[in-house]
């Protein structure tokens, strides 16, 4: 069985940075990985995972969780996979997929491949972040993970530890793409205020 690691926390807590660190560590160990990201997120770069400091990693952009499974299965049935076995997959912005991402992650791990994934813990309203179809939320994935990395940021309002994502502006949609222009990390006190 592969191991499932979920990295979570508010925006700017360093989730993508941690994902990229773990990926580069696997590169040092010469263990082959695939990197995926959902189509929805094109804030910085279409075909790369990019953190808020501009560090990049090329990614396979997919529309659905099944595409991740398809990519993995295609590789496993190829000749190349006998020479270079696939050891890990990395998935950024996991909350932007539909809930079947959970089944796909479990399925991939059953093939003996480790899954590293990261996603937001809460919405801008402080609710567990739902997957796109709202059937499951990130908490389910956290509960099913073998390892959990829960990060925090710095409150943009007071400098204390921030565990919440505050949205600037009026929109009430769950998903509104943006960076520092539209979001802040906040401690619970400043979030409520
Ligand atoms: P995430 O994927 O969790 O949104 P990133 O890994 O992309 O976060 O970015 C983390 C980086 O964001 C930090 O290393 C820091 O340089 C920067 N940053 C900007 N605002 C904040 C903040 N309020 N708290 C912490 N880091 C911040
Ligand atoms: Mg990120
Ligand atoms: Zn604060």
């Amino acid at each position: 069985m592969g191991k499932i690691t979920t990295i979570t926390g508010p925006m700017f807590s360093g989730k993508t940075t941690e994902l990229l660190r773990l990926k580069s560590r696997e590169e040092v160990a010469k263990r082959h990985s695939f990197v995926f990201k959902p189509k929805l997120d094109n804030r910085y770069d279409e075909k790369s995972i990019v953190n808020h400091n501009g560090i990049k990693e090329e990614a396979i952009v997919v529309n659905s969780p099944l595409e991740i499974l398809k990519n993995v299965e295609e590789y496993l049935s190829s000749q190349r996979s006998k020479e270079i076995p696939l050891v890990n997959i990395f998935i950024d912005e996991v909350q932007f997929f539909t809930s079947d991402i959970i089944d796909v992650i479990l399925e991939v791990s059953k093939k003996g491949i480790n899954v590293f994934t990261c996603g937001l813990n809460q919405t801008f309203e402080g609710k567990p972040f739902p997957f796109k179809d709202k059937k499951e939320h990130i908490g389910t994935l956290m509960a099913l993970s073998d390892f959990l990395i829960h990060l925090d940021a710095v409150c943009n309002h007071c400098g204390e530890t921030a565990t919440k994502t505050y949205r600037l502006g009026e929109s009430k949609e769950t998903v509104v793409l943006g960076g520092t222009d539209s979001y802040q990390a906040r401690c619970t006190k400043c979030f409520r205020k």
Side-chain angles (χ1 to χ4, degrees), residues 120-169:
L120 286 166
N121 55 345
Q122 295 174 17
T123 66
F124 75 104
E125 294 176 303
K127 306 249 168 64
F129 209 104
F131 290 107
K132 207 168 151 190
D133 56 359
K134 301 198 161 47
K135 285 187 188 150
E136 296 283 355
H137 59 59
I138 190 85
T140 308
L141 179 60
M142 287 161 73
L144 292 169
S145 297
D146 298 292
F147 302 105
L148 198 58
I149 303 174
H150 202 155
L151 301 171
D152 52 66
V154 175
C155 177
N156 286 112
H157 213 64
C158 75
E160 289 296 324
T161 297
T163 59
K164 307 230 169 243
T165 305
Y166 183 81
R167 183 186 289 162
L168 307 162

Side-chain angles (χ1 to χ4, degrees), residues 10-17 50-53 153-156 180 185:
M11 273 183 77
F12 312 108
S13 60
K15 299 182 298 298
T16 302
T17 306
V50 190
N51 74 358
H52 292 295
N53 306 314
V154 175
C155 177
N156 286 112
T180 46

Side-chain angles (χ1 to χ4, degrees), residues 13-59:
S13 60
K15 299 182 298 298
T16 302
T17 306
E18 178 63 8
L19 194 80
L20 295 176
R21 185 186 74 83
L22 293 170
K23 165 70 174 41
S24 73
R25 202 177 166 280
E26 291 305 288
E27 261 168 49
V28 173
K30 299 200 165 36
R31 289 190 284 260
H32 189 42
S33 309
F34 278 173
V35 182
F36 296 100
K37 64 177 262 185
K39 182 89 169 82
L40 197 67
D41 180 37
N42 56 0
R43 271 175 303 190
Y44 300 104
D45 198 312
E46 282 286 334
K47 285 208 169 82
S48 300
I49 287 178
V50 190
N51 74 358
H52 292 295
N53 306 314
I55 310 278
K56 279 191 195 184
E57 175 79 41
E58 207 173 297

